[in-house]
């Protein structure tokens, strides 16, 4: 089990009142799954992703990643764990505008301690940008920039990739290309990929759909029709 | 022995290195209505022992939150230094919980490290409840009137709605009605029991609506329903306006109206209030002509222990066509009294004590105090519950500080409470610990610095020991 959540609760104390962002969430994700977490805006899906990605801690419950109970890790250890094992893809690209695609990936390789900078070319080839190595972000389309972000996430060689609305800012054709790359990474390299989305067209492409609403899991393996019904 | 010293030194050095950390802190309210501007304060503090450089942070917003700042770059930050910036955001989110992720990297002599911080934004569509209209029939003295209320919520959906009235003069039947939820308008039916000897020409019924909002908070809304009572022959009517009375002396303008075709004579009016003093009680009026209105200013003194809504009962006797009438009625008024909350704090090396005073004239309800810091200083618990704080009373809340709290550490204090009318208040303070006033002298050196100094002394001692040992060995050879 690459991710195991047990009775996760996330409470924010706001204005003196406890507000539950996540309510008694339990979820098991096996290594090599290609899964989406679907829910309306504000349903707590990004909070759930942040907890799975060691960006935040739950108020209650246990989080096991790669079989390890991460609640026992301190902030530094958590940060190291994240750096080593988890790749993030967000809807915003945030590439260095003054570095070209190759350099943007190389800088991530340096951060993860990999001195083989040639690997950046290999990663960009993998996401179909072998002919755009020296293009700067403003010379790339939104979809191409998101592919650089995927290559950048792969620099760590993560077993687990967490994507928060990765296709929200790009057109449908580019979105399909990004999803195809993620699917290929899952199928060919057995990387576990978890996508948070409110777009059912994205969810439809994944192998398992988890539906979340008001901080609660309504189904942990829904079909697309069941998902539509649950989110009505 | 030598091996033991080396291992010990290595452990100490390891701790010194691990103490390097950068924190991102947040200072802003996190609960907003839809379509709000949000100001978010972000501070990056180098609590480590070495310089942090190339601090590059990206800010990831949800789809419905917009900002013109997406990243923060700081070339370097020396130990103990901090960099603060504020983010101006605009959101048009649906109600729910959202997070902003601040994530990035920095370099120091320990290599490249990652940092991240989550900032929750809770968007709530606040309810707006009103009695939009009401209809009545058969509203005569001594009858059971039908009353239909159209209760409307123009804001976010509310749940577990209880509409009740405990007014005994003109009583509602049933005394409370429960609704599972309320998202728009709904009609509710009551019966209104109007006593035959009721003096007022209106039934003024206080209504309390208690509900749970979308975030689970229990709130209440208070309003009045005025149902006119149809005139009947030989009845005197008592008219007045519902106002806010101040603590001290006030005038309530009462009007006696003769709607009949006959003279009303020998009118005596007596208030029977126990908790409010009436200066000109026991009023006598010899005659009121048909159709005449007489204004009587009633001088009342409100003591400073009164608050909320008060009911002043009265009796009235008069003769009409030589028949003695004996009626009773009520004057319903609000007291203009509110809590007035002040705070004082005391700081010692390990504890932080806040005394919360209510200098006002009315109690504060559901009071919480949140205390947090902008850096590594951890305050626990981060919330204290005070509950009800009556006027003239105080309550102390004690928090524990960890070893990273220094006199110049800034702390942020938020107090939340509601008044008797259900209005919600919040107060926000920020201050350094030393400005609170402290009773124990606090030495600024931190635990981490202390470990480093001990480590350096031991390293130095170890080196001297090693050189001397080597020198002795050489001499022996």
């Amino acid at each position: 089990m690459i991710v195991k959540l047990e009775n996760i609760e996330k409470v924010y104390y706001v204005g003196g009142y406890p507000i539950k962002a996540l309510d008694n969430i339990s979820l098991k994700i096996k290594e090599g799954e290609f899964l989406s977490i679907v829910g309306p805006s504000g349903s707590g899906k990004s909070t759930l992703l942040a907890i799975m990605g060691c960006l935040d801690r739950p108020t209650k419950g246990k989080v096991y990643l790669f079989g390890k109970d991460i609640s026992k890790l301190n902030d530094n250890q958590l940060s190291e764990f994240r750096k080593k094992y988890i790749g993030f893809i967000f809807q915003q690209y945030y590439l260095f505008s003054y570095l070209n695609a190759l350099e943007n990936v190389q800088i991530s390789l340096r951060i993860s301690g990999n001195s083989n900078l040639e690997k950046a070319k290999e990663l960009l080839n993998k996401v179909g940008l072998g002919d755009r190595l020296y293009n700067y972000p403003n010379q790339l389309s939104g979809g191409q920039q998101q592919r650089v972000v995927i290559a950048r996430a792969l620099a760590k060689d993560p077993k687990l990739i967490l994507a928060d609305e990765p296709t929200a800012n790009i057109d449908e054709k580019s979105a399909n290309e990004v999803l195809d790359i993620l699917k290929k990474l899952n199928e060919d390299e057995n990387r576990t990929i978890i996508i948070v989305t409110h777009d059912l067209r994205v969810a439809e492409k994944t192998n398992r759909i988890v539906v979340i609403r008001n901080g609660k899991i309504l189904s942990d393996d829904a079909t697309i029709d069941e998902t539509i019904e649950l989110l009505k | 022995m030598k091996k033991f010293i080396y291992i010990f030194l290595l452990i100490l050095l390891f701790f010194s290195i691990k103490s390097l950390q950068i924190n991102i802190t947040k200072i802003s309210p996190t609960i907003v209505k839809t379509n709000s501007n949000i100001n978010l304060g972000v501070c990056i503090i180098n609590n480590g022992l070495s310089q942090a450089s190339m601090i590059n942070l990206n800010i990831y917003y949800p789809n419905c939150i917009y900002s013109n700042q997406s990243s923060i770059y700081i070339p370097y930050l020396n130990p103990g230094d901090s960099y603060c910036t504020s983010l101006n955001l605009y959101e048009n989110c649906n109600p729910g919980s959202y997070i902003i992720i601040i994530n990035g990297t920095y370099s120091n002599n320990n290599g490249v490290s990652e940092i991240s911080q989550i900032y929750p934004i809770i968007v709530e569509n606040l309810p707006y409840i009103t009695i939009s209209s009401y209809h009545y029939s058969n509203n005569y003295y001594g009858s059971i009137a039908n009353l239909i209320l159209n209760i409307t919520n123009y804001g976010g959906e509310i749940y577990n709605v209880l509409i009740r009235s405990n007014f005994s003069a003109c009583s509602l039947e049933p005394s409370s009605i429960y609704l599972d939820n309320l998202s728009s308008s709904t009609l509710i039916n009551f019966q209104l029991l109007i006593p035959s000897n009721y003096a007022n020409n209106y039934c003024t019924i206080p209504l309390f609506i208690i509900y749970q909002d979308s975030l689970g908070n229990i709130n209440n809304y208070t309003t009045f329903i005025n149902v006119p009572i149809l005139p009947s022959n030989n009845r005197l009517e008592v008219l007045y306006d519902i106002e806010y009375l101040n603590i001290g002396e006030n005038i309530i303008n009462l009007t006696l109206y003769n709607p009949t075709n006959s003279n009303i004579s020998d009118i005596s009016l007596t208030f029977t209030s126990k908790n409010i003093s009436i200066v000109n009680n026991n009023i006598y009026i010899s005659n009121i002509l048909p159709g005449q209105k007489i204004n009587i200013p009633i001088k009342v003194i409100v003591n400073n222990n009164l608050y909320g809504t008060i009911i002043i009962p009265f009796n009235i006797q008069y003769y009409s066509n030589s028949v003695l009438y004996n009626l009773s009625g009520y004057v319903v008024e609000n007291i203009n009294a509110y809590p007035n909350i002040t705070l004082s704090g005391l700081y010692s090396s390990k504890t932080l004590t806040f005394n919360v005073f209510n200098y006002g004239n009315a109690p504060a309800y559901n009071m919480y105090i949140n205390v947090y810091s902008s850096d590594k200083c951890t305050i626990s618990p981060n919330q204290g519950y005070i509950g009800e704080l009556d006027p003239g009373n105080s309550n102390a809340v004690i928090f524990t500080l960890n070893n990273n709290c220094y006199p110049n550490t800034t702390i942020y204090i938020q107090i939340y409470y509601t008044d008797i009318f259900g209005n919600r208040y919040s107060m926000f303070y920020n201050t350094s610990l030393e400005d609170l006033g402290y009773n124990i002298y606090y030495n600024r050196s931190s635990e981490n610095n202390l470990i480093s100094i001990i480590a350096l002394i031991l390293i130095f001692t170890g080196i001297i020991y090693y050189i001397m040992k080597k020198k002795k060995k050489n001499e022996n050879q």
Side-chain angles (χ1 to χ4, degrees), chain B residues 17-46:
Chain B
I17 290 164
K18 287 309 262 186
S19 69
L20 179 67
Q21 200 178 336
I22 292 180
N23 283 348
I24 304 166
T25 57
K26 59 230 180 200
I27 319 140
S28 177
T30 50
I31 186 159
V32 288
K33 294 176 191 173
T34 47
N35 295 315
S36 295
N37 290 306
I38 306 165
N39 292 313
L40 188 66
V42 177
C43 287
I44 298 103
I45 303 140
N46 185 357

Side-chain angles (χ1 to χ4, degrees), chain B residues 42 47 84 110 142 150 159 254 277 282 286 313 335 347 349 421 476:
Chain B
V42 177
N47 283 317
C84 291
N110 200 23
N150 185 359
Y159 308 90
L254 212 66
S277 65
N282 302 317
S286 58
I335 305 291
Y347 154 60
S349 60
F421 300 110
N476 286 344

Side-chain angles (χ1 to χ4, degrees), chain A residues 35-54:
Chain A
L35 170 145
S36 57
I37 298 172
V38 186
S41 293
S43 57
K45 51 190 192 300
S46 292
T47 308
L48 183 62
L49 195 80
I51 285 175
M52 286 197 276
C54 305

Side-chain angles (χ1 to χ4, degrees), chain B residues 104 168 170 179 260 267 303 347 370 406 419 421 443 451 471:
Chain B
S168 59
C170 281
L179 304 173
T260 71
I267 305 123
N303 296 327
Y347 154 60
N370 294 345
Y406 309 120
D419 68 14
F421 300 110
N443 190 341
I451 290 173
K471 204 173 172 187

Side-chain angles (χ1 to χ4, degrees), chain A residues 26-220:
Chain A
S26 293
L27 185 65
K28 288 177 183 173
I29 299 169
K30 287 183 203 148
E31 190 168 357
E33 283 204 64
F34 185 44
L35 170 145
S36 57
I37 298 172
V38 186
S41 293
S43 57
K45 51 190 192 300
S46 292
T47 308
L48 183 62
L49 195 80
I51 285 175
M52 286 197 276
C54 305
L55 289 167
D56 204 1
R57 288 175 188 275
T59 314
K60 264 189 199 167
K62 293 209 161 180
V63 181
Y64 296 90
L65 291 179
F66 303 92
K68 197 175 177 116
D69 180 1
I70 62 157
S71 54
K72 289 178 181 160
L73 303 182
N74 65 29
D75 285 349
N76 285 335
Q77 289 167 327
L78 211 58
S79 165
E80 271 304 303
F81 195 84
R82 196 170 60 229
K83 192 173 136 187
K84 267 188 188 165
Y85 300 111
I86 305 167
F88 287 97
I89 300 164
F90 293 101
Q91 60 175 294
Q92 295 100 344
Y93 323 122
Y94 295 153
L95 298 170
F96 290 108
S97 57
Y98 47 87
L99 300 180
N100 62 35
L102 186 66
E103 289 162 338
N104 263 292
V105 180
Q106 281 177 341
I107 206 156
S108 271
L109 283 168
R110 277 183 199 276
I111 287 169
S112 56
N114 190 336
S115 53
N116 177 16
L117 300 182
E118 283 301 303
K119 202 186 169 196
K121 280 185 188 169
E122 188 191 310
L123 294 173
L124 284 164
N125 271 323
K126 196 180 275 183
V127 296
L129 289 176
D131 56 344
R132 294 278 191 275
L133 297 178
Y134 302 105
N135 283 37
Y136 287 88
N138 62 2
Q139 297 167 326
L140 297 168
S141 69
Q144 287 169 332
Q145 287 186 58
Q146 191 61 298
R147 283 192 266 161
V148 178
V149 171
I150 296 173
R152 190 176 64 182
L154 290 174
K156 297 181 186 183
D157 197 19
K159 284 255 169 234
L160 176 63
I161 295 176
L162 303 176
D164 192 354
E165 305 275 8
T167 57
N169 288 338
I170 49 182
D171 61 83
E172 197 170 342
K173 184 173 171 281
S174 303
N176 283 333
E177 285 168 6
V178 165
L179 287 171
D180 288 345
I181 290 166
L182 291 175
K183 197 164 180 65
K184 204 165 176 341
L185 287 170
N186 166 254
E187 284 170 356
D188 296 354
E189 300 176 17
N190 200 37
R191 294 183 202 270
T192 309
I193 295 177
I194 302 171
I195 302 173
V196 153
T197 184
H198 67 278
D199 188 345
L200 294 178
R201 289 171 301 182
V202 174
E204 204 171 9
K205 298 212 170 212
T206 60
N207 300 335
R208 181 180 163 197
I209 303 174
V210 175
V211 185
I212 182 170
R213 188 170 203 164
N214 293 332
K216 286 182 181 166
I217 287 185
L218 302 184
S219 169
D220 70 354

Side-chain angles (χ1 to χ4, degrees), chain A residues 17 42 79 83 91-92 94, chain B residues 56 59 61 63 97 112 114 217:
Chain A
Y17 298 99
S79 165
K83 192 173 136 187
Q91 60 175 294
Q92 295 100 344
Y94 295 153
Chain B
N56 191 54
I59 309 161
Y61 301 101
N63 269 335
S97 66
V112 179
E114 278 196 9
N217 306 319

